[in-house]
Amino acid sequence: MDTQRGIPRRPRRLRRSVAVRALFEECRIEAADLMAPLFVREGEGPPVAIGSMPGVFRFSLEGLVTECRELAALGIPGVALFPVTAPALKDLRGTEALNPNALVLRAVRAVRAAVPGLLVFTDVALDPYTTHGHDGLLTPDGQDVDNDATVAVLAEMAVLHAVSGTDFVSPSDMMDGRVGAIRRALDVAGYSGTGILAYSAKFASAYYGPFREAVGSAAAAGTRALDKRTYQLNPANRREAIADALLDEAEGADVLMVKPAGPYLDVIAELRAATRLPVAAYQVSGEYAQVHAAAQMGWLDLERTRNESLLAIKRAGADVILTYFAKDLARDLIRSGPV
Ligand code: PBG
């Protein structure tokens, strides 16, 4: 280094003050980027806490509507609704999924009526409705999920959701050909305006644990942990994830989603480069639980870790982020400005 002539490149010039850092900041989270996943249950009464997800609740229909009003007022554009199905309504074939008055459909109608500007997304998959907790119908020997039989049910289910007023159906089970079948069924039924946000690169992840507890799909007592590896992606496989996501695009998906988000930033970045569709990312229950658990131990700062985890997802290329932090973050953005 020629110290006489000084150091020619001084990157720290762009970091010297609050103003210069703000001016050259490459990305920023806004409430408009976020969607809140919400759990809805039968019955009345106050929100029921979920042990492994501090600050997340199972809402009654009425509580759900109140929460949605608050989220809309904070500038959150959309919510993803997840029903907690009563065990008595579950069976081997998930028949409750096709009940036109199922809890999730009543929830969609209630939210649409009370908070018209808020977008409603609903999962199209069988796991909330099956006693075995799998996302589809099992083959006769019970050893695998029957892809094509499942897809036929998903297409019917998607139409029921569209009729109830959902803005986007979200096929979340990674069955082959589901996006195309759902698109055709929606169009034939006259719902060409209903969108598809596809869980396109959904990995067989350990990070879904708290969610399965929250909705009660963690497999029947006494059975081993649910193994979804015959349909969800292998966490080791990036190429396969991109190929599968591009198939969803070809089949008519409007938005492609990567899930989980934080541990799969490389997949988000590569998918962002591979498609011109919006890319969504789902910061899942385990990612949320991890931050909260460490903060409770006094080992991590809750807000800063939360913000950094979401910024990383945005920086990787996500246009939309589903996160259980949505409400808290939107509140803090109003109170303390951009993160
Ligand atoms: C259902 C579904 C799951 C999640 C969203 N939709 C769980 C699973 O596939 O077992 C997980 C979300 C989370 O962990 O926050 N198909």
Side-chain angles (χ1 to χ4, degrees), residues 238-263:
R238 183 167 73 192
R239 278 199 316 264
E240 186 185 355
I242 303 300
D244 205 334
L246 294 179
L247 271 181
D248 284 356
E249 172 166 4
E251 290 178 29
D254 300 288
V255 187
L256 306 178
M257 187 153 76
V258 176
K259 173 188 174 189

Side-chain angles (χ1 to χ4, degrees), residues 37 39 53 82 123-128 133-135 170-174 199 202-203 205-212 215 217 226 228 231-232 257 259-260 282-288 324:
F39 299 108
M53 301 175 75
F82 296 99
D123 256 40
V124 172
L126 293 182
D127 58 298
H134 275 294
D135 290 22
S170 307
S172 64
D173 63 7
M174 295 299 285
Y199 287 69
K202 177 172 179 177
F203 291 86
S205 172
Y207 286 87
Y208 308 147
F211 174 97
R212 292 182 191 169
V215 299
S217 68
L226 260 188
K228 299 191 176 186
Y231 39 105
Q232 298 178 347
M257 187 153 76
K259 173 188 174 189
Y282 195 149
Q283 184 183 53
V284 301
S285 56
E287 300 178 74
Y288 178 85
Y324 301 95

Side-chain angles (χ1 to χ4, degrees), residues 56-204:
V56 178
F57 301 91
R58 302 185 187 91
F59 292 104
S60 66
L61 275 181
E62 206 188 323
L64 179 74
V65 166
T66 307
E67 181 72 3
C68 286
R69 275 206 194 90
E70 291 176 17
L71 289 166
L74 289 168
I76 306 275
V79 295
L81 302 182
F82 296 99
V84 182
T85 309
L89 293 177
K90 297 188 185 189
D91 60 25
L92 279 172
R93 303 184 59 82
T95 40
E96 178 66 9
L98 297 181
N99 173 359
N101 210 29
L103 174 61
V104 72
L105 302 180
R106 280 179 279 136
V108 171
R109 296 195 286 264
V111 173
R112 299 301 278 117
V115 201
L118 187 69
L119 297 171
V120 177
F121 294 66
T122 49
D123 256 40
V124 172
L126 293 182
D127 58 298
Y129 307 106
T130 54
T131 35
H132 44 71
H134 275 294
D135 290 22
L137 303 176
L138 302 183
T139 50
D141 63 5
Q143 292 309 297
D144 194 11
V145 169
D146 183 338
N147 191 90
D148 298 11
T150 300
V151 167
V153 179
L154 297 178
E156 272 186 71
M157 196 179 166
V159 172
L160 281 177
H161 286 219
V163 172
S164 292
T166 199
D167 295 285
F168 287 81
V169 291
S170 307
S172 64
D173 63 7
M174 295 299 285
M175 294 303 140
D176 296 335
R178 75 221 193 283
V179 171
I182 288 171
R183 186 67 271 161
R184 282 189 293 279
L186 289 173
D187 290 350
V188 166
Y191 290 92
S192 56
T194 304
I196 301 178
L197 176 151
Y199 287 69
S200 298
K202 177 172 179 177
F203 291 86

